[in-house]
Amino acid sequence: KQEVTQIPAALSVPEGENLVLNCSFTDSAIYNLQWFRQDPGKGLTSLLLIQSSQREQTSGRLNASLDKSSGRSTLYIAASQPGDSATYLCAVRPGTGGFKTIFGAGTRLFVKA
Amino acid sequence: EAGVAQSPRYKIIEKRQSVAFWCNPISGHATLYWYQQILGQGPKLLIQFQNNGVVDDSQLPKDRFSAERLKGVDSTLKIQPAKLEDSAVYLCASTQIATGPRAGANVLTFGAGSRLTVL
């Protein structure tokens, strides 16, 4: 059974700092891994999607990496800003077992001005 | 492209009452999901549709929850009777196709969610 874990659960950093959010999953048989952002009271916004054949994806100040063999992904945020404050969720789409997308509990990020 | 539409955005009901949520996915998306997100937790899948057929409803509390997808497009999630622990945000998401060689490239897109409070 696929399980997704995110560490840390919460993170507070000063503005301008580079930071890394971690995601681990137990079964390497996946179609893809997707990082989402969720603002309080809002739905999920897709940030980056990494297919199983890819190693990383970049969008602006965000870079996500995928290491299937070790069951890990990282989301790197460069030069953090107060507007980056949100909850970041990692989700994997398993390649077996019904193909439902499974989420971690998220990392709550607070960037201090 | 229009996003995933959900309504209502907010609903407050008494326990034992019923409630229904509606979702209109992105046009052409064959796969539709309903997730439940309790405060402080990640979304938990309730049910997954492929066109108008159910693919996975293993975590749907079928004694009180029901869902249907009309003609493979819109979907409705119903709770009857509601319990206090059903207070959560109900998220609808869609993607073009969840299986096969093209599945890995397909982004999962969410609606804004429907926040339910059961008193």
Side-chain angles (χ1 to χ4, degrees), chain B residues 77-95:
Chain B
L77 175 70
K78 296 180 181 177
I79 307 174
Q80 181 180 12
K83 293 185 175 181
L84 296 177
E85 59 261 37
D86 298 332
S87 294
V89 177
Y90 291 86
L91 296 161
C92 179
S94 69
T95 189

Side-chain angles (χ1 to χ4, degrees), chain A residues 15-92:
Chain A
E15 182 178 7
E17 193 164 295
N18 301 325
L19 58 100
V20 175
L21 307 181
N22 296 292
C23 171
S24 62
F25 48 96
T26 54
D27 188 340
S28 62
I30 63 172
Y31 273 121
N32 62 37
L33 183 145
Q34 200 166 346
W35 283 93
F36 292 88
R37 169 184 172 139
Q38 187 173 33
D39 293 286
K42 303 290 178 63
L44 279 68
T45 301
S46 179
L47 297 173
L48 290 165
L49 179 146
I50 311 175
Q51 298 182 58
S52 63
S53 58
Q54 299 173 331
R55 298 282 293 184
E56 66 177 344
Q57 286 288 329
T58 298
S59 176
R61 295 182 293 108
L62 305 179
N63 175 275
S65 67
L66 174 65
D67 184 343
K68 274 202 318 177
S69 60
S70 66
R72 293 181 182 175
S73 176
T74 61
L75 179 66
Y76 175 82
I77 302 177
S80 58
Q81 303 170 357
D84 295 331
S85 298
T87 296
Y88 291 81
L89 293 146
C90 163
V92 299

Side-chain angles (χ1 to χ4, degrees), chain A residues 31-32 34 36 38 41-44 46 49 51 89 93 97-105 108, chain B residues 9 35 37 42-43 45 48 56 59 91 95 97 99-100 103-108 110-112 115:
Chain A
Y31 273 121
N32 62 37
Q34 200 166 346
F36 292 88
Q38 187 173 33
K42 303 290 178 63
L44 279 68
S46 179
L49 179 146
Q51 298 182 58
L89 293 146
R93 185 177 298 173
F99 314 106
K100 59 188 178 186
T101 298
I102 299 172
F103 283 82
R108 190 180 305 172
Chain B
R9 286 296 316 279
Y35 283 86
Q37 187 178 25
L45 181 70
Q48 175 186 348
D56 188 329
Q59 297 191 83
L91 296 161
T95 189
I97 186 167
T99 63
N106 294 325
V107 172
L108 187 63
F110 280 82
R115 181 179 296 277

